Amino acid sequence: MPTTDPTEAGHWLRLALIPGISPGALRALLAEFGSPEHVLAASRPALRKLVLAEIATVIADGGNAQSAQVALAWLAEPDNYIVTLADADYPQLLLQTTDPPPLLYVKGRLDLLNRPALAIVGSRNASAQGSDNATEFARALSAAGITVVSGLALGIDSAAHRGGLTGVGSSVALVGTGLDVVYPARNKTLAHELAAKGALVSEFPLGTPPLAANFPRRNRLISGMSLGCLVVEAALQSGSLITARFANEQGREVFALPGSIHSPLAKGCHALIKQGAKLVDDANDILDELKLPARAKLARESPELDGDEASLLEHLGHSPCALDVLCSRAQVGAAEAAGLLLKLELKGLVESLPGGRYQRVR
Amino acid sequence: MPTTDPTEAGHWLRLALIPGISPGALRALLAEFGSPEHVLAASRPALRKLVLAEIATVIADGGNAQSAQVALAWLAEPDNYIVTLADADYPQLLLQTTDPPPLLYVKGRLDLLNRPALAIVGSRNASAQGSDNATEFARALSAAGITVVSGLALGIDSAAHRGGLTGVGSSVALVGTGLDVVYPARNKTLAHELAAKGALVSEFPLGTPPLAANFPRRNRLISGMSLGCLVVEAALQSGSLITARFANEQGREVFALPGSIHSPLAKGCHALIKQGAKLVDDANDILDELKLPARAKLARESPELDGDEASLLEHLGHSPCALDVLCSRAQVGAAEAAGLLLKLELKGLVESLPGGRYQRVR
């Protein structure tokens, strides 16, 4: 449950909103004293062992009551939530990352914070095809029950949110400003739609304007609450690659969509693939890799077989079979059988095993 | 040296041209008796221990003298060669493969058979952009001294040969017919150019028409005499993937050029990359991977740096340096330094090391 008790929320806010207090310092205080209420009740000398003198003084004086009051007024409005490290609604995947924010401001559906999620990120200056790709992948993943997480930027982010909102997985935007600030302004309608059908999430206090330094920090949360991160279009040296880097450091799968070798917006994706990201050209690639339940899988086309291939496949069982045995079963020559087996293997229907044996896999 | 002595060449040809004799059987005979001349002098009972009765009879009767005579007439023409397993000119990389052909018919430059070579293969129905890409990669690799090997097919193969012929590396076509047959006919001019400035190579007897069964066999040689195999455009289930499969089995690097996820001709390349092929979007990727001498490398652009990045890079040496040390050297905050370091890392100039240390790499 989120922190719906205004008194308890107030304690968290009084601490979290102290200027200059770091998430690490706040976590250390909570570890020492047990709860925000106990931190606020601690003596200045006891606090001084963990935090700088000026912060200890503010805490001993009751924390930042004024800013907390503003946030509580915001919290009182419908569909606004504050979710703290202590809440079951806090994204559990984020807890596994280093430096999780002590509290998150949430507007919209709380239940989306702990669903299987995939980050989809990419260039703000996306091509039309890139945006279409982001929307189509997001639509397919959302239809399969995956929540699409992105950063509400123009271009790929917006396209991904739009696709995510069409399905049961819906979409969550991690924003780099206070939740009462919409940035970029052109995404006002999309932000409203996310608040109504998905969710907007921020770790930054209300009123925080768009500051360059906050965006890489926010990117860390986009990957941190997701099982993996798909980069759709990204130039070399773009912010999306930073998100992918965070994803990799957090132990999340990194996926990238390839493109023309002549497109600057494919270069970043290609660089990621060279470094070990998974190339994807089908949303099923992602579902396969994340090993999500079969019910979530999308229909995949069966490969077409010609008569000879179908016939050979009929004669090959699901247990290993030597080539000569297969040839005698199917009454074909070794050369012809080897050719057909290669084709069947390329279609993903047959596996070649050590010792020249073959096995049907589908 | 190739087999220029017509008598010796005649012995090889009398054996190799016996209908139904396999390369393996011929190699076994040579291993037993030492040379073709000694094989031809062996008794029928001694031969019978290694080959079928009818083949032993033909050998004991002097082999296929009639076909050998035709081949010797061809060999007498300028720039025609027969290279046997016993010759130093035989492609040494092919010797490392299973089932190397006992002899190769060669038309053109023998010296190209033992140069560092890269196979470039792909669709016969290539897109205009795909053909341009093949030509450009082949041109760059050939300029760096790499011989471009392909199969004289329409589409990517032809484009690769054309690019290869422009540079010092030149180009070699491994064909699936006898060398006196040009297939496809539309490539007659290209075949003549290869004979004059590159080389045409076949393991098939003169007069062999284009037979479907011979092409996968020929593909094995394309990859077998190359250090690696680059697939430029390929549909799923195409012959190029068979060549890539051979390359992989032969321990050669497989490279693939990515493309739009909506292009059927990129699907085969993407499938290869998913299976472990190296994505390349620059000819230097291939030179790097093959670890060819630095002199062969092409000029690579230096990344552009802004003032802050250049300044931080100046303060970071080529030995590992902790973040706080770097911050104090460069007089910047930790957050700013971390952001700059990420950008420098993405530009390939800085490496992040365990323990939060950084090192300049270029």
Side-chain angles (χ1 to χ4, degrees), chain A residues 133 245 262 274 281 345, chain B residues 133 245 262 274 281 345:
Chain A
N133 290 344
R245 163 70 182 276
H262 304 290
K274 290 178 193 175
D281 56 1
E345 192 175 347
Chain B
N133 291 343
R245 162 73 181 277
H262 303 290
K274 290 177 192 175
D281 56 1
E345 194 176 346

Side-chain angles (χ1 to χ4, degrees), chain A:
Chain A
M1 284 300 296
T3 312
T4 43
D5 173 355
T7 313
E8 194 191 337
H11 293 147
W12 278 93
L13 289 161
R14 280 165 180 253
L15 291 175
L17 294 171
I18 294 171
I21 196 168
S22 71
L26 183 45
R27 286 197 305 271
L29 289 167
L30 291 166
E32 177 68 21
F33 300 105
S35 73
E37 190 175 2
H38 289 115
V39 174
L40 288 164
S43 70
R44 195 180 172 287
L47 293 165
R48 186 64 192 85
K49 288 177 191 155
L50 294 167
V51 295
L52 298 172
E54 49 267 49
I55 289 178
T57 304
V58 178
I59 295 174
D61 289 349
N64 189 344
Q66 196 175 351
S67 296
Q69 208 52 48
V70 175
L72 286 172
W74 175 86
L75 179 59
E77 290 170 31
D79 296 325
N80 286 357
Y81 304 93
I82 285 173
V83 179
T84 74
L85 282 173
D87 295 331
D89 281 313
Y90 194 90
Q92 299 300 299
L93 279 177
L94 258 193
L95 287 181
Q96 297 169 12
T97 64
T98 55
D99 205 22
L103 59 80
L104 295 171
Y105 301 79
V106 181
K107 194 178 191 74
R109 286 174 55 188
L110 270 186
D111 66 299
L112 295 178
L113 302 190
N114 278 297
R115 305 227 4 193
L118 187 87
I120 300 184
V121 299
S123 176
R124 287 189 297 275
N125 307 306
S127 70
Q129 183 64 64
S131 291
D132 283 356
N133 290 344
T135 298
E136 282 314 306
F137 269 71
R139 184 194 302 273
L141 292 163
S142 176
I146 309 290
T147 300
V148 173
V149 174
S150 196
L152 198 63
L154 298 176
I156 297 299
D157 283 19
S158 301
H161 287 307
R162 287 198 188 92
L165 283 168
T166 63
V168 294
S170 193
S171 189
V172 174
L174 272 292
V175 304
T177 62
L179 274 196
D180 53 347
V181 177
V182 172
Y183 176 82
R186 276 169 58 190
N187 271 345
K188 194 170 175 185
T189 307
L190 177 59
H192 284 159
E193 202 182 341
L194 282 160
K197 294 166 61 185
L200 295 159
V201 179
S202 176
E203 66 172 310
F204 301 107
L206 297 170
T208 305
L211 301 171
N214 285 345
F215 286 86
R217 191 170 161 75
R218 180 279 313 263
N219 290 354
R220 183 178 49 88
L221 300 190
I222 291 177
S223 55
M225 68 172 278
S226 303
L227 296 166
C229 175
L230 170 65
V231 182
V232 174
E233 272 190 339
L236 285 171
Q237 305 148 31
S238 73
S240 306
L241 300 198
I242 295 176
T243 309
R245 163 70 182 276
F246 284 131
N248 191 45
E249 286 178 358
Q250 291 162 344
R252 313 290 190 240
E253 273 311 334
V254 179
F255 303 97
L257 230 63
S260 162
I261 62 170
H262 304 290
S263 160
L265 288 171
K267 290 278 180 198
C269 293
H270 294 166
L272 288 172
I273 294 167
K274 290 178 193 175
Q275 289 160 29
K278 309 270 181 203
L279 179 151
V280 295
D281 56 1
D282 183 321
N284 276 310
D285 294 338
I286 295 171
L287 297 175
D288 285 348
E289 192 63 34
L290 297 180
K291 298 185 176 54
L292 289 165
R295 63 148 196 78
K297 293 284 178 63
L298 311 171
R300 197 193 287 266
E301 284 172 37
S302 290
E304 278 181 28
L305 300 184
D306 69 22
D308 290 345
E309 292 164 7
S311 161
L312 194 76
L313 197 62
E314 277 299 298
H315 288 97
L316 183 66
H318 285 78
S319 52
C321 174
L323 183 60
D324 55 349
V325 174
L326 180 62
C327 290
S328 99
R329 272 190 207 157
Q331 292 293 302
V332 294
E336 191 191 343
L340 291 169
L341 284 165
L342 259 175
K343 289 185 190 169
L344 289 167
E345 192 175 347
L346 293 169
K347 291 178 183 180
L349 298 171
V350 162
E351 190 177 7
S352 90
L353 304 170
R357 292 177 311 157
Y358 293 86
Q359 184 173 354
R360 188 169 171 175
V361 291
R362 270 168 71 189

